[in-house]
Amino acid sequence: MKIKIITVLIILFSSVAYAQTKLADKFFDNFGYVKAIELYEKVVEKGKADAHVLTRLGDAYYNNSNSEKAAYWYEKALDKYANIEAEYIYKYIQSLRSIGNYEQADVWFKKLLKAQQGDSRLKGYDPDEVGVFDNLTSKNEDLVVTIENLPFNSENSDFGSFIQDSTLYFASARIPSKKVYSWNKEPFLDIFQVDVKTDKETDSLSYGEPSQIVAEEINTDYHEASVAITKDGKTMYFTRDNINKRNRLQYDDEGTTHLQIYKATLTGKEWANVVELPFNDKVFSTGHPILSPDDKTLYFVSDRDGGIGQTDIYSVAINSDGSYGEPENLGDKINTEGREMFPFIAKDSTFYFSSDGHLNLGLLDIFKSNILKEDTPSEPENMGAPFNSGYDDFAYYVDNQTRKGYFSSNRPEGKGSDDIYGFNVTQCAQQITGIATEHRTEIILANVTVQLIDETGKIIEEVVTTDDGAYTFEVECNKTYSILGTKPDYKEDLKKITTDRENEKIHQVDLILKPLILDSQIIINPIFFDYDKATIRTDAQYELENIVDVLRKHPEMTIKIESHTDSRGRDKYNLKLSDRRAKSTREYIISRGIEASRIESARGFGETRLLNECGNGAKCSEDEHQVNRRSYFYIVQKEE
């Protein structure tokens, strides 16, 4: 007999735990994380928590930005179960990093890397990704990228940008009296400079008139381009054709002249003392110099022997005595069998370059890499449109603090063969705003808690409506959000909205909350029962939680429950069935911690109080019968 009783108790507790899990799931799916946590933790207390409950607890805390609790429950799940999905491991890693436990996060990151090799979050770039070209063309659609063809561009080639002390240096073939370069039938390139002014009120840039660089020794009859200047402004590196002291081109044994890097120093206001760098050679080209943020390393492009591709990017140490180390190839994380050129390093050490060897939209594309910031760098990232096009896009320069910069391109809408484009990057942003009102009276509701929830279910922001019932959220473009409005003694209102790509657009999303207390009743949605059953279903439990919430908010309130049926079936049977359902409803409310004395009565009335003419034998629709299947929750005593 004892064994039977124990078995029954085990089944009973398992059933209760299962029901609570289902109810918790219902709240979780509707972003009710606090309630879901309460219910899930009840299941844990009963010793019935499985992987689903533990990971859902982790998710509920994770979505509420409680990283410490999230990490605790994810760890519980991972310690107890071997086959936890990779997604939870990733969230566990994120939670560990959030609380500063980087060592443990790295342990799990390595495990996840082995188990989840195709995860783009781990690899950063997946060449097998479906629709990769579509991704490149639409990559920056969540940003507002303003591009300007600069006013000083000429009808010939203008490219390359370097800013030093509000002066922009660039290369141009705009001098018509110069010798013509046979490659493109344009004059040879010279280095020019132009003043840049910033309007502080409008945060806009304006440019003066370009002029050749102030230096008698820099520009020659042949090519000069690609400037890099040290932070103190006293040393310049630039590219030039290989010429001798008599200003004549020098050729290799096959009759080709190559590019070389030169250095100049600032003497007064003029660049002078031009010297050739020691790692140049007349049998290969060396050019496109750029400095590291600390000025201790020079990066450049070369087609010298021993490289990986047609042109590779190299680095060379600049020693304290002014000498140079041995050039080193940056390796296959940057260089390919194609062309890598025009390197640039931002102040935050992000490495930018152009390439036609990495996956691109056509010809040279601009890429960025973390090779200087990470011991194990990820694959270079294509910058995507509008920085890149189907044409040559190169010579990228950016101030990562202002997000303003320049790039060069030969895209067809330009003024010359190559043009310099200025750009300004801001985040595409929109507003979601609305007014909270009461459903029946349309009165404005203050003190409504409004949550902004993203597509993953994470609560991004929470505000409370003001006296005018208003709320406002700043949101990203091209995202889907849920707006959840809650207020004590009101039924929540949940709205969904998807933003588009129109910058500064305002979306009006009003919230309409139904009062739970109306006159002497607590009003909720109809409670449904299975046919011929009095068991409280999960969807009924979900609605009854509104009753629980009201009673918790008003500890002195007492109620009585009435349950009614439609006219179908025998009268006596309907009376008994409605009474069982009323009492099941009462028992559920009591099980949620409400004292039994606060429910004065729970009584069924069967079909004795129909609301329409659908009595015995009447031909009525299902909707008409549904009107009569209802429960009432009358308030017997309110708070004083």
Side-chain angles (χ1 to χ4, degrees), residues 622-639:
E622 181 58 36
D623 288 341
E624 289 172 321
H625 283 301
Q626 176 61 56
V627 170
N628 293 314
R629 299 197 300 272
R630 65 202 188 278
S631 293
Y632 291 131
F633 299 87
Y634 288 105
I635 300 170
V636 178
Q637 178 181 330
K638 294 184 179 180
E639 289 180 294

Side-chain angles (χ1 to χ4, degrees), residues 433-452:
T433 187
I435 304 293
T437 58
E438 186 177 282
H439 175 263
R440 189 174 64 91
T441 63
E442 298 185 356
I443 63 171
I444 288 174
L445 292 178
N447 300 316
V448 174
T449 299
V450 186
Q451 293 177 328
L452 176 70

